[in-house]
Amino acid sequence: MKIIRLNELQFKNYSNMHNMQNLCQTIEYSHIEENRTKEKEFLGLIDENNNVCAAVTIIVKNLIMNNKMATIYNMPLIDYNNYFLLNIFFEELKKYLKKEGYIYITINPMYYQRVFDKNNNLLVDNTSITDNMLRIGFKKMGYQNRFSKYDIIINNNNTKDIYKNISRNTKRTIKENKKLGISLKKGTIDDINTFYDLIKKKTNNNINYYIDLMTSLNTNNVKMNIFFATLDPKTYLINKRKEYLIEKNKNEKVQENFLYNKESNKEKLLNKKIEADKKLEKLHQELIQAIDLERNYKNNIILGTCATIKHKKEVYFLIEGYNDNFRQFHSSKSLKWSIIKHYSLLGYNIFNLGEIYSDYKNKDNKYYGIYQYKIGFGGNIIEYPERMLLIIDKNKYLMYTQICNLKRKSITM
């Protein structure tokens, strides 16, 4: 067996048929890296009959003294559990890359190392894959930003079952927002400025990055979409007026009961009246707002946005944002559910709601709210392994790290 360079079509054909295909090991994703002025190579492991047994996209970084490093995003297209094949692949890869001037490989593996349910019960344990990587010679590099890497993922192809597993609080928000007239709108590249205005506080990337994503990830295999949660001012006013009148009738009955009831427990009735008055006043203020919105906005109001990437049967929630002027509507839950429902009905069955942080169960953690928000949609907690490093040329790697350390010291002096 040996490593050879594949052309784009060869890699695409192998990638499309491989059952371990992942987003980062697709032609479309490699174009994004290429657009960011990064070199790439498609490599494959072939047997004595020239059959491809494994393949990988590597991203190239040029180092000092004509050396290079290779980065692998996610994992090569290979059977992770087959240690024999995995070992041969990386041994041959090291030989090939050493001849090409590479001194080390970094890998950001995204296989499911462990899977927990929402009650933190262990469902799946794939730590044997990590053990195999370490046996091959990889070294752990730790997690980026010191956080462990976890995602919340729903794996279900039945819309009713997905909704059934959503928490009571999340369902309540979704139902209330539907009554208010909040709905889903699918955007296009023409809406990219509106999208970026809503998410720019949450990203370090400029608008060109998202334009590049939408144009590069735009095939039958991989596609980025943007969605918006919108509010119809007329529907909102009609529903808010109904809600106010219903509450007004309730309030009148509470008032009447307080004034004419001769029971001795007046304090209890008084507390009930105070609460009813507070609720009615709150609805009155919301009704005034609804009247203003209907008067000032002739078209639907954009409350929030969300970008997704769909690949095979998986939908990944990339980033979301909301309009600060209308944050009281809590539209993000409705937006997420509408997107899940939209794709579920199209046959998608894996929904990656995105990252949570290592100490997610700690209520004092500032990221606890993110965990509560995402786990409210049900799904499991996925733990990924640490980043790893494989040295190709030990002597050159040691020399390179020594030079880098000397440069850092000279900068801090």
PDB file of all heavy atoms in Angstrom, residues 38-72:
ATOM      1  N   LYS A  38      -5.052  29.348   1.382  1.00  0.00           N
ATOM      2  CA  LYS A  38      -4.388  28.173   1.936  1.00  0.00           C
ATOM      3  C   LYS A  38      -4.275  27.105   0.849  1.00  0.00           C
ATOM      4  O   LYS A  38      -5.230  26.846   0.132  1.00  0.00           O
ATOM      5  CB  LYS A  38      -5.166  27.623   3.131  1.00  0.00           C
ATOM      6  CG  LYS A  38      -5.175  28.548   4.340  1.00  0.00           C
ATOM      7  CD  LYS A  38      -5.909  27.902   5.488  1.00  0.00           C
ATOM      8  CE  LYS A  38      -5.934  28.792   6.721  1.00  0.00           C
ATOM      9  NZ  LYS A  38      -6.676  28.184   7.832  1.00  0.00           N
ATOM     10  N   GLU A  39      -3.089  26.490   0.779  1.00  0.00           N
ATOM     11  CA  GLU A  39      -2.911  25.395  -0.165  1.00  0.00           C
ATOM     12  C   GLU A  39      -3.594  24.139   0.358  1.00  0.00           C
ATOM     13  O   GLU A  39      -3.776  23.969   1.566  1.00  0.00           O
ATOM     14  CB  GLU A  39      -1.420  25.110  -0.357  1.00  0.00           C
ATOM     15  CG  GLU A  39      -0.618  26.253  -0.942  1.00  0.00           C
ATOM     16  CD  GLU A  39       0.854  25.880  -1.022  1.00  0.00           C
ATOM     17  OE1 GLU A  39       1.165  24.793  -1.546  1.00  0.00           O
ATOM     18  OE2 GLU A  39       1.677  26.673  -0.543  1.00  0.00           O
ATOM     19  N   LYS A  40      -3.934  23.240  -0.555  1.00  0.00           N
ATOM     20  CA  LYS A  40      -4.566  21.987  -0.162  1.00  0.00           C
ATOM     21  C   LYS A  40      -4.008  20.869  -1.018  1.00  0.00           C
ATOM     22  O   LYS A  40      -3.475  21.099  -2.116  1.00  0.00           O
ATOM     23  CB  LYS A  40      -6.077  22.081  -0.352  1.00  0.00           C
ATOM     24  CG  LYS A  40      -6.476  22.179  -1.818  1.00  0.00           C
ATOM     25  CD  LYS A  40      -7.950  22.368  -2.018  1.00  0.00           C
ATOM     26  CE  LYS A  40      -8.239  22.439  -3.532  1.00  0.00           C
ATOM     27  NZ  LYS A  40      -9.591  22.853  -3.837  1.00  0.00           N
ATOM     28  N   GLU A  41      -4.125  19.650  -0.517  1.00  0.00           N
ATOM     29  CA  GLU A  41      -3.773  18.465  -1.293  1.00  0.00           C
ATOM     30  C   GLU A  41      -4.775  17.369  -0.990  1.00  0.00           C
ATOM     31  O   GLU A  41      -5.209  17.206   0.164  1.00  0.00           O
ATOM     32  CB  GLU A  41      -2.358  17.974  -0.950  1.00  0.00           C
ATOM     33  CG  GLU A  41      -1.238  18.771  -1.581  1.00  0.00           C
ATOM     34  CD  GLU A  41       0.094  18.040  -1.494  1.00  0.00           C
ATOM     35  OE1 GLU A  41       0.153  16.856  -1.906  1.00  0.00           O
ATOM     36  OE2 GLU A  41       1.058  18.648  -1.011  1.00  0.00           O
ATOM     37  N   PHE A  42      -5.143  16.623  -2.021  1.00  0.00           N
ATOM     38  CA  PHE A  42      -5.982  15.439  -1.859  1.00  0.00           C
ATOM     39  C   PHE A  42      -5.070  14.218  -1.953  1.00  0.00           C
ATOM     40  O   PHE A  42      -4.379  14.032  -2.966  1.00  0.00           O
ATOM     41  CB  PHE A  42      -7.054  15.365  -2.949  1.00  0.00           C
ATOM     42  CG  PHE A  42      -7.951  16.570  -3.012  1.00  0.00           C
ATOM     43  CD1 PHE A  42      -7.999  17.351  -4.156  1.00  0.00           C
ATOM     44  CD2 PHE A  42      -8.742  16.917  -1.931  1.00  0.00           C
ATOM     45  CE1 PHE A  42      -8.826  18.460  -4.224  1.00  0.00           C
ATOM     46  CE2 PHE A  42      -9.580  18.030  -1.994  1.00  0.00           C
ATOM     47  CZ  PHE A  42      -9.613  18.800  -3.137  1.00  0.00           C
ATOM     48  N   LEU A  43      -5.072  13.412  -0.922  1.00  0.00           N
ATOM     49  CA  LEU A  43      -4.210  12.237  -0.873  1.00  0.00           C
ATOM     50  C   LEU A  43      -5.035  10.980  -0.627  1.00  0.00           C
ATOM     51  O   LEU A  43      -6.057  11.024   0.061  1.00  0.00           O
ATOM     52  CB  LEU A  43      -3.161  12.395   0.234  1.00  0.00           C
ATOM     53  CG  LEU A  43      -2.258  13.625   0.140  1.00  0.00           C
ATOM     54  CD1 LEU A  43      -1.358  13.711   1.365  1.00  0.00           C
ATOM     55  CD2 LEU A  43      -1.435  13.616  -1.135  1.00  0.00           C
ATOM     56  N   GLY A  44      -4.569   9.857  -1.193  1.00  0.00           N
ATOM     57  CA  GLY A  44      -5.286   8.606  -1.017  1.00  0.00           C
ATOM     58  C   GLY A  44      -4.340   7.448  -0.767  1.00  0.00           C
ATOM     59  O   GLY A  44      -3.195   7.444  -1.248  1.00  0.00           O
ATOM     60  N   LEU A  45      -4.810   6.466   0.000  1.00  0.00           N
ATOM     61  CA  LEU A  45      -4.061   5.232   0.233  1.00  0.00           C
ATOM     62  C   LEU A  45      -4.589   4.187  -0.740  1.00  0.00           C
ATOM     63  O   LEU A  45      -5.784   3.880  -0.740  1.00  0.00           O
ATOM     64  CB  LEU A  45      -4.255   4.753   1.680  1.00  0.00           C
ATOM     65  CG  LEU A  45      -3.563   3.438   2.059  1.00  0.00           C
ATOM     66  CD1 LEU A  45      -2.044   3.641   2.126  1.00  0.00           C
ATOM     67  CD2 LEU A  45      -4.092   2.897   3.380  1.00  0.00           C
ATOM     68  N   ILE A  46      -3.700   3.655  -1.592  1.00  0.00           N
ATOM     69  CA  ILE A  46      -4.134   2.647  -2.573  1.00  0.00           C
ATOM     70  C   ILE A  46      -3.482   1.302  -2.268  1.00  0.00           C
ATOM     71  O   ILE A  46      -2.377   1.231  -1.714  1.00  0.00           O
ATOM     72  CB  ILE A  46      -3.813   3.072  -4.023  1.00  0.00           C
ATOM     73  CG1 ILE A  46      -2.308   3.294  -4.215  1.00  0.00           C
ATOM     74  CG2 ILE A  46      -4.594   4.323  -4.396  1.00  0.00           C
ATOM     75  CD1 ILE A  46      -1.899   3.455  -5.673  1.00  0.00           C
ATOM     76  N   ASP A  47      -4.190   0.227  -2.643  1.00  0.00           N
ATOM     77  CA  ASP A  47      -3.643  -1.121  -2.463  1.00  0.00           C
ATOM     78  C   ASP A  47      -2.926  -1.559  -3.737  1.00  0.00           C
ATOM     79  O   ASP A  47      -2.752  -0.778  -4.684  1.00  0.00           O
ATOM     80  CB  ASP A  47      -4.738  -2.102  -2.052  1.00  0.00           C
ATOM     81  CG  ASP A  47      -5.843  -2.232  -3.101  1.00  0.00           C
ATOM     82  OD1 ASP A  47      -5.616  -1.844  -4.269  1.00  0.00           O
ATOM     83  OD2 ASP A  47      -6.937  -2.716  -2.760  1.00  0.00           O
ATOM     84  N   GLU A  48      -2.524  -2.837  -3.779  1.00  0.00           N
ATOM     85  CA  GLU A  48      -1.747  -3.342  -4.916  1.00  0.00           C
ATOM     86  C   GLU A  48      -2.547  -3.362  -6.222  1.00  0.00           C
ATOM     87  O   GLU A  48      -1.973  -3.428  -7.324  1.00  0.00           O
ATOM     88  CB  GLU A  48      -1.223  -4.755  -4.608  1.00  0.00           C
ATOM     89  CG  GLU A  48      -2.287  -5.782  -4.271  1.00  0.00           C
ATOM     90  CD  GLU A  48      -2.693  -5.752  -2.802  1.00  0.00           C
ATOM     91  OE1 GLU A  48      -2.238  -4.844  -2.073  1.00  0.00           O
ATOM     92  OE2 GLU A  48      -3.469  -6.633  -2.397  1.00  0.00           O
ATOM     93  N   ASN A  49      -3.888  -3.267  -6.118  1.00  0.00           N
ATOM     94  CA  ASN A  49      -4.737  -3.217  -7.314  1.00  0.00           C
ATOM     95  C   ASN A  49      -5.158  -1.790  -7.665  1.00  0.00           C
ATOM     96  O   ASN A  49      -6.072  -1.585  -8.462  1.00  0.00           O
ATOM     97  CB  ASN A  49      -5.977  -4.088  -7.111  1.00  0.00           C
ATOM     98  CG  ASN A  49      -5.626  -5.551  -6.925  1.00  0.00           C
ATOM     99  OD1 ASN A  49      -4.786  -6.087  -7.654  1.00  0.00           O
ATOM    100  ND2 ASN A  49      -6.237  -6.184  -5.927  1.00  0.00           N
ATOM    101  N   ASN A  50      -4.508  -0.813  -7.031  1.00  0.00           N
ATOM    102  CA  ASN A  50      -4.792   0.613  -7.244  1.00  0.00           C
ATOM    103  C   ASN A  50      -6.194   1.027  -6.790  1.00  0.00           C
ATOM    104  O   ASN A  50      -6.736   2.020  -7.274  1.00  0.00           O
ATOM    105  CB  ASN A  50      -4.595   1.015  -8.713  1.00  0.00           C
ATOM    106  CG  ASN A  50      -3.134   0.997  -9.115  1.00  0.00           C
ATOM    107  OD1 ASN A  50      -2.253   1.324  -8.310  1.00  0.00           O
ATOM    108  ND2 ASN A  50      -2.856   0.613 -10.348  1.00  0.00           N
ATOM    109  N   ASN A  51      -6.762   0.263  -5.865  1.00  0.00           N
ATOM    110  CA  ASN A  51      -8.039   0.651  -5.264  1.00  0.00           C
ATOM    111  C   ASN A  51      -7.776   1.601  -4.106  1.00  0.00           C
ATOM    112  O   ASN A  51      -6.867   1.367  -3.293  1.00  0.00           O
ATOM    113  CB  ASN A  51      -8.786  -0.579  -4.740  1.00  0.00           C
ATOM    114  CG  ASN A  51      -9.177  -1.523  -5.857  1.00  0.00           C
ATOM    115  OD1 ASN A  51      -9.699  -1.093  -6.882  1.00  0.00           O
ATOM    116  ND2 ASN A  51      -8.934  -2.814  -5.665  1.00  0.00           N
ATOM    117  N   VAL A  52      -8.545   2.675  -4.031  1.00  0.00           N
ATOM    118  CA  VAL A  52      -8.391   3.630  -2.928  1.00  0.00           C
ATOM    119  C   VAL A  52      -9.014   3.038  -1.667  1.00  0.00           C
ATOM    120  O   VAL A  52     -10.188   2.657  -1.658  1.00  0.00           O
ATOM    121  CB  VAL A  52      -9.045   4.988  -3.266  1.00  0.00           C
ATOM    122  CG1 VAL A  52      -8.877   5.961  -2.101  1.00  0.00           C
ATOM    123  CG2 VAL A  52      -8.444   5.579  -4.530  1.00  0.00           C
ATOM    124  N   CYS A  53      -8.224   2.939  -0.602  1.00  0.00           N
ATOM    125  CA  CYS A  53      -8.690   2.353   0.673  1.00  0.00           C
ATOM    126  C   CYS A  53      -8.970   3.423   1.730  1.00  0.00           C
ATOM    127  O   CYS A  53      -9.625   3.143   2.730  1.00  0.00           O
ATOM    128  CB  CYS A  53      -7.644   1.388   1.216  1.00  0.00           C
ATOM    129  SG  CYS A  53      -7.206   0.074   0.073  1.00  0.00           S
ATOM    130  N   ALA A  54      -8.438   4.615   1.520  1.00  0.00           N
ATOM    131  CA  ALA A  54      -8.646   5.740   2.449  1.00  0.00           C
ATOM    132  C   ALA A  54      -8.225   7.012   1.726  1.00  0.00           C
ATOM    133  O   ALA A  54      -7.431   6.965   0.780  1.00  0.00           O
ATOM    134  CB  ALA A  54      -7.837   5.561   3.726  1.00  0.00           C
ATOM    135  N   ALA A  55      -8.768   8.139   2.156  1.00  0.00           N
ATOM    136  CA  ALA A  55      -8.430   9.414   1.514  1.00  0.00           C
ATOM    137  C   ALA A  55      -8.524  10.549   2.524  1.00  0.00           C
ATOM    138  O   ALA A  55      -9.199  10.432   3.552  1.00  0.00           O
ATOM    139  CB  ALA A  55      -9.359   9.683   0.327  1.00  0.00           C
ATOM    140  N   VAL A  56      -7.846  11.655   2.210  1.00  0.00           N
ATOM    141  CA  VAL A  56      -7.845  12.795   3.120  1.00  0.00           C
ATOM    142  C   VAL A  56      -7.517  14.069   2.353  1.00  0.00           C
ATOM    143  O   VAL A  56      -6.767  14.044   1.376  1.00  0.00           O
ATOM    144  CB  VAL A  56      -6.809  12.583   4.258  1.00  0.00           C
ATOM    145  CG1 VAL A  56      -5.384  12.578   3.716  1.00  0.00           C
ATOM    146  CG2 VAL A  56      -6.967  13.616   5.357  1.00  0.00           C
ATOM    147  N   THR A  57      -8.102  15.167   2.810  1.00  0.00           N
ATOM    148  CA  THR A  57      -7.683  16.494   2.358  1.00  0.00           C
ATOM    149  C   THR A  57      -6.769  17.067   3.426  1.00  0.00           C
ATOM    150  O   THR A  57      -7.140  17.109   4.603  1.00  0.00           O
ATOM    151  CB  THR A  57      -8.878  17.446   2.202  1.00  0.00           C
ATOM    152  OG1 THR A  57      -9.846  16.858   1.350  1.00  0.00           O
ATOM    153  CG2 THR A  57      -8.447  18.784   1.632  1.00  0.00           C
ATOM    154  N   ILE A  58      -5.582  17.506   3.022  1.00  0.00           N
ATOM    155  CA  ILE A  58      -4.703  18.192   3.977  1.00  0.00           C
ATOM    156  C   ILE A  58      -4.588  19.657   3.568  1.00  0.00           C
ATOM    157  O   ILE A  58      -4.587  19.987   2.385  1.00  0.00           O
ATOM    158  CB  ILE A  58      -3.304  17.541   4.072  1.00  0.00           C
ATOM    159  CG1 ILE A  58      -2.555  17.652   2.742  1.00  0.00           C
ATOM    160  CG2 ILE A  58      -3.393  16.112   4.542  1.00  0.00           C
ATOM    161  CD1 ILE A  58      -1.079  17.317   2.855  1.00  0.00           C
ATOM    162  N   ILE A  59      -4.548  20.517   4.572  1.00  0.00           N
ATOM    163  CA  ILE A  59      -4.325  21.950   4.351  1.00  0.00           C
ATOM    164  C   ILE A  59      -2.862  22.238   4.659  1.00  0.00           C
ATOM    165  O   ILE A  59      -2.341  21.829   5.700  1.00  0.00           O
ATOM    166  CB  ILE A  59      -5.244  22.799   5.244  1.00  0.00           C
ATOM    167  CG1 ILE A  59      -6.712  22.389   5.038  1.00  0.00           C
ATOM    168  CG2 ILE A  59      -5.061  24.276   4.950  1.00  0.00           C
ATOM    169  CD1 ILE A  59      -7.215  22.492   3.614  1.00  0.00           C
ATOM    170  N   VAL A  60      -2.196  22.919   3.748  1.00  0.00           N
ATOM    171  CA  VAL A  60      -0.744  23.104   3.807  1.00  0.00           C
ATOM    172  C   VAL A  60      -0.399  24.461   4.410  1.00  0.00           C
ATOM    173  O   VAL A  60      -0.996  25.484   4.049  1.00  0.00           O
ATOM    174  CB  VAL A  60      -0.134  23.004   2.395  1.00  0.00           C
ATOM    175  CG1 VAL A  60       1.390  23.112   2.453  1.00  0.00           C
ATOM    176  CG2 VAL A  60      -0.567  21.715   1.714  1.00  0.00           C
ATOM    177  N   LYS A  61       0.570  24.467   5.309  1.00  0.00           N
ATOM    178  CA  LYS A  61       1.118  25.721   5.830  1.00  0.00           C
ATOM    179  C   LYS A  61       2.625  25.688   5.663  1.00  0.00           C
ATOM    180  O   LYS A  61       3.298  24.747   6.110  1.00  0.00           O
ATOM    181  CB  LYS A  61       0.764  25.912   7.306  1.00  0.00           C
ATOM    182  CG  LYS A  61       1.279  27.242   7.855  1.00  0.00           C
ATOM    183  CD  LYS A  61       0.871  27.453   9.306  1.00  0.00           C
ATOM    184  CE  LYS A  61       1.405  28.779   9.845  1.00  0.00           C
ATOM    185  NZ  LYS A  61       1.039  28.994  11.256  1.00  0.00           N
ATOM    186  N   ASN A  62       3.164  26.715   5.006  1.00  0.00           N
ATOM    187  CA  ASN A  62       4.606  26.817   4.812  1.00  0.00           C
ATOM    188  C   ASN A  62       5.262  27.415   6.048  1.00  0.00           C
ATOM    189  O   ASN A  62       4.818  28.432   6.579  1.00  0.00           O
ATOM    190  CB  ASN A  62       4.915  27.676   3.585  1.00  0.00           C
ATOM    191  CG  ASN A  62       4.442  27.019   2.304  1.00  0.00           C
ATOM    192  OD1 ASN A  62       4.766  25.869   2.038  1.00  0.00           O
ATOM    193  ND2 ASN A  62       3.670  27.746   1.517  1.00  0.00           N
ATOM    194  N   LEU A  63       6.319  26.751   6.506  1.00  0.00           N
ATOM    195  CA  LEU A  63       7.051  27.184   7.688  1.00  0.00           C
ATOM    196  C   LEU A  63       8.421  27.714   7.275  1.00  0.00           C
ATOM    197  O   LEU A  63       8.753  27.755   6.093  1.00  0.00           O
ATOM    198  CB  LEU A  63       7.210  26.014   8.660  1.00  0.00           C
ATOM    199  CG  LEU A  63       5.919  25.276   9.046  1.00  0.00           C
ATOM    200  CD1 LEU A  63       6.258  24.057   9.883  1.00  0.00           C
ATOM    201  CD2 LEU A  63       4.973  26.196   9.791  1.00  0.00           C
ATOM    202  N   ILE A  64       9.216  28.100   8.250  1.00  0.00           N
ATOM    203  CA  ILE A  64      10.565  28.593   7.970  1.00  0.00           C
ATOM    204  C   ILE A  64      11.459  27.465   7.452  1.00  0.00           C
ATOM    205  O   ILE A  64      11.175  26.289   7.655  1.00  0.00           O
ATOM    206  CB  ILE A  64      11.187  29.229   9.234  1.00  0.00           C
ATOM    207  CG1 ILE A  64      11.207  28.220  10.386  1.00  0.00           C
ATOM    208  CG2 ILE A  64      10.450  30.485   9.622  1.00  0.00           C
ATOM    209  CD1 ILE A  64      11.912  28.712  11.621  1.00  0.00           C
ATOM    210  N   MET A  65      12.541  27.837   6.783  1.00  0.00           N
ATOM    211  CA  MET A  65      13.554  26.901   6.300  1.00  0.00           C
ATOM    212  C   MET A  65      12.973  25.855   5.342  1.00  0.00           C
ATOM    213  O   MET A  65      13.343  24.677   5.366  1.00  0.00           O
ATOM    214  CB  MET A  65      14.245  26.206   7.494  1.00  0.00           C
ATOM    215  CG  MET A  65      14.957  27.187   8.430  1.00  0.00           C
ATOM    216  SD  MET A  65      15.499  26.441   9.987  1.00  0.00           S
ATOM    217  CE  MET A  65      16.623  25.182   9.392  1.00  0.00           C
ATOM    218  N   ASN A  66      12.008  26.294   4.519  1.00  0.00           N
ATOM    219  CA  ASN A  66      11.392  25.436   3.497  1.00  0.00           C
ATOM    220  C   ASN A  66      10.674  24.212   4.072  1.00  0.00           C
ATOM    221  O   ASN A  66      10.478  23.213   3.378  1.00  0.00           O
ATOM    222  CB  ASN A  66      12.451  24.951   2.484  1.00  0.00           C
ATOM    223  CG  ASN A  66      13.030  26.101   1.687  1.00  0.00           C
ATOM    224  OD1 ASN A  66      12.307  27.016   1.283  1.00  0.00           O
ATOM    225  ND2 ASN A  66      14.336  26.071   1.476  1.00  0.00           N
ATOM    226  N   ASN A  67      10.284  24.289   5.328  1.00  0.00           N
ATOM    227  CA  ASN A  67       9.514  23.210   5.941  1.00  0.00           C
ATOM    228  C   ASN A  67       8.024  23.502   5.816  1.00  0.00           C
ATOM    229  O   ASN A  67       7.611  24.639   5.582  1.00  0.00           O
ATOM    230  CB  ASN A  67       9.890  23.053   7.415  1.00  0.00           C
ATOM    231  CG  ASN A  67      11.316  22.576   7.590  1.00  0.00           C
ATOM    232  OD1 ASN A  67      11.744  21.649   6.905  1.00  0.00           O
ATOM    233  ND2 ASN A  67      12.064  23.205   8.487  1.00  0.00           N
ATOM    234  N   LYS A  68       7.233  22.455   6.019  1.00  0.00           N
ATOM    235  CA  LYS A  68       5.774  22.597   5.931  1.00  0.00           C
ATOM    236  C   LYS A  68       5.095  21.794   7.031  1.00  0.00           C
ATOM    237  O   LYS A  68       5.685  20.848   7.578  1.00  0.00           O
ATOM    238  CB  LYS A  68       5.279  22.102   4.563  1.00  0.00           C
ATOM    239  CG  LYS A  68       5.713  22.960   3.384  1.00  0.00           C
ATOM    240  CD  LYS A  68       5.096  22.489   2.077  1.00  0.00           C
ATOM    241  CE  LYS A  68       5.803  21.272   1.537  1.00  0.00           C
ATOM    242  NZ  LYS A  68       5.339  20.918   0.165  1.00  0.00           N
ATOM    243  N   MET A  69       3.880  22.191   7.348  1.00  0.00           N
ATOM    244  CA  MET A  69       3.040  21.385   8.241  1.00  0.00           C
ATOM    245  C   MET A  69       1.736  21.085   7.529  1.00  0.00           C
ATOM    246  O   MET A  69       1.304  21.818   6.624  1.00  0.00           O
ATOM    247  CB  MET A  69       2.745  22.113   9.557  1.00  0.00           C
ATOM    248  CG  MET A  69       1.887  23.364   9.419  1.00  0.00           C
ATOM    249  SD  MET A  69       1.157  23.953  10.974  1.00  0.00           S
ATOM    250  CE  MET A  69      -0.198  22.807  11.184  1.00  0.00           C
ATOM    251  N   ALA A  70       1.095  19.986   7.914  1.00  0.00           N
ATOM    252  CA  ALA A  70      -0.186  19.600   7.322  1.00  0.00           C
ATOM    253  C   ALA A  70      -1.255  19.616   8.405  1.00  0.00           C
ATOM    254  O   ALA A  70      -1.031  19.146   9.523  1.00  0.00           O
ATOM    255  CB  ALA A  70      -0.093  18.198   6.714  1.00  0.00           C
ATOM    256  N   THR A  71      -2.402  20.192   8.082  1.00  0.00           N
ATOM    257  CA  THR A  71      -3.545  20.189   8.995  1.00  0.00           C
ATOM    258  C   THR A  71      -4.664  19.348   8.392  1.00  0.00           C
ATOM    259  O   THR A  71      -5.001  19.500   7.211  1.00  0.00           O
ATOM    260  CB  THR A  71      -4.059  21.612   9.253  1.00  0.00           C
ATOM    261  OG1 THR A  71      -3.035  22.380   9.880  1.00  0.00           O
ATOM    262  CG2 THR A  71      -5.291  21.599  10.154  1.00  0.00           C
ATOM    263  N   ILE A  72      -5.219  18.467   9.210  1.00  0.00           N
ATOM    264  CA  ILE A  72      -6.378  17.655   8.801  1.00  0.00           C
ATOM    265  C   ILE A  72      -7.563  18.105   9.629  1.00  0.00           C
ATOM    266  O   ILE A  72      -7.538  18.033  10.863  1.00  0.00           O
ATOM    267  CB  ILE A  72      -6.118  16.158   9.013  1.00  0.00           C
ATOM    268  CG1 ILE A  72      -4.921  15.697   8.180  1.00  0.00           C
ATOM    269  CG2 ILE A  72      -7.363  15.352   8.651  1.00  0.00           C
ATOM    270  CD1 ILE A  72      -4.504  14.250   8.440  1.00  0.00           C
TER     271      ILE A  72
END
